[in-house]
Amino acid sequence: MKQITSAQNPFIKSLVLLQEKAKARKQSGQFLIEGIREIELAIKGNYQLETLLFVPEFMGETEVQKLTGKISSPDLIEISKEVYQKLAYRDTT
């Protein structure tokens, strides 16, 4: 499983761009979803999840396995709290 611990990682920077710029979302046809409930709603809505980012302290292995069992083999990437705070829409303090 891949790990990303730096907010300066190019992949993370591309996700920040998706988060901040509607034009980037429209051009790529991709967007970010935050939260277990929202992910489950996207799965029910037949959206294709390409990557699941998770912070082990916030989302345990059982929850990750439960979600990945519902979607066809997404990339799993463990991220640090610092990276999560860079990507999060919600207040994470």
Side-chain angles (χ1 to χ4, degrees):
M1 179 181 325
K2 189 174 180 180
Q3 275 188 326
I4 298 176
T5 57
S6 171
Q8 300 306 311
N9 179 286
F11 178 67
I12 298 303
K13 285 183 175 185
S14 71
L15 295 178
V16 170
L17 186 64
L18 282 178
Q19 176 192 26
E20 295 176 349
K21 303 287 183 185
K23 184 177 180 178
R25 291 189 295 274
K26 191 170 186 171
Q27 287 177 339
S28 69
Q30 299 176 325
F31 56 93
L32 299 176
I33 302 172
E34 179 184 349
I36 294 173
R37 183 174 57 115
E38 289 77 6
I39 293 170
E40 288 175 342
L41 287 171
I43 293 168
K44 286 180 186 175
N46 293 321
Y47 284 89
Q48 180 182 349
L49 278 70
E50 295 178 4
T51 306
L52 179 64
L53 305 172
F54 70 98
V55 179
E57 293 88 356
F58 298 160
M59 186 177 194
E61 186 177 333
T62 304
E63 292 161 317
V64 171
Q65 288 176 353
K66 193 165 124 180
L67 283 175
T68 57
K70 297 177 183 179
I71 36 185
S72 58
S73 46
D75 291 334
L76 290 175
I77 301 176
E78 182 180 319
I79 59 172
S80 66
K81 287 181 184 179
E82 174 194 5
V83 172
Y84 176 74
Q85 288 175 340
K86 182 83 171 171
L87 295 171
Y89 288 95
R90 298 176 181 152
D91 183 23
T92 57
T93 56

